[in-house]
């Protein structure tokens, strides 16, 4: 993800990447998960458990630690294989 972009610019860039990967992997023999965090990612200690949201990016910043934990746990969630969920704070 590019740095110093507006949230609208970041979302557009993410959408282009998602479309490209989706088109390139239609007949692939592997699964993928593309996590799409909010525009604010903090390099701080863990704050809150994260969850997948298909509808929109979250309004609150998340931490790198929480994003890494979510991404590792997502490998066990077959229901989000081959998707590109937004990653938001759980309970929003």
């Amino acid at each position: 993800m590019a740095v110093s972009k507006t949230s609208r610019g970041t979302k557009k860039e993410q959408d282009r990447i998602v479309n490209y990967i989706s088109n390139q992997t239609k007949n692939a023999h592997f699964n993928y998960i593309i996590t799409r965090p909010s525009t604010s990612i903090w390099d701080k200690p863990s704050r809150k458990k994260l969850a997948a949201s298909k509808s929109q990016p979250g309004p609150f910043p998340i931490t790198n630690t929480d994003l890494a934990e979510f991404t590792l746990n997502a490998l066990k969630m077959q229901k989000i294989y081959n998707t590109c969920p937004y990653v938001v704070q759980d309970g929003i």
Side-chain angles (χ1 to χ4, degrees):
M1 179 172 16
V3 179
S4 300
K5 289 195 174 213
T6 64
S7 60
R8 180 174 286 152
T10 299
K11 185 178 178 317
K12 284 182 181 179
E13 182 177 10
Q14 288 178 351
D15 289 342
R16 285 193 299 267
I17 292 168
V18 166
N19 287 335
Y20 174 79
I21 291 176
S22 295
N23 288 330
Q24 296 300 313
T25 58
K26 283 184 180 172
N27 297 317
H29 298 284
F30 59 87
N31 295 311
Y32 64 87
I33 301 168
I34 301 172
T35 54
R36 301 173 75 178
S38 67
T39 56
S40 295
I41 302 176
W42 291 349
D43 193 19
K44 294 184 177 184
S46 177
R47 291 187 56 207
K48 194 168 185 180
K49 192 166 183 74
L50 302 179
S53 167
K54 291 183 180 179
S55 61
Q56 63 184 1
F60 303 107
I62 62 175
T63 67
N64 287 319
T65 303
D66 294 337
L67 180 59
E69 180 183 358
F70 172 84
T71 302
L72 289 173
N73 287 328
L75 296 174
K76 301 176 206 169
M77 298 182 225
Q78 290 186 354
K79 68 179 180 179
I80 66 170
Y81 282 7
N82 302 318
T83 66
C84 309
Y86 293 105
V87 180
V88 298
Q89 289 184 2
D90 197 10
I92 295 179

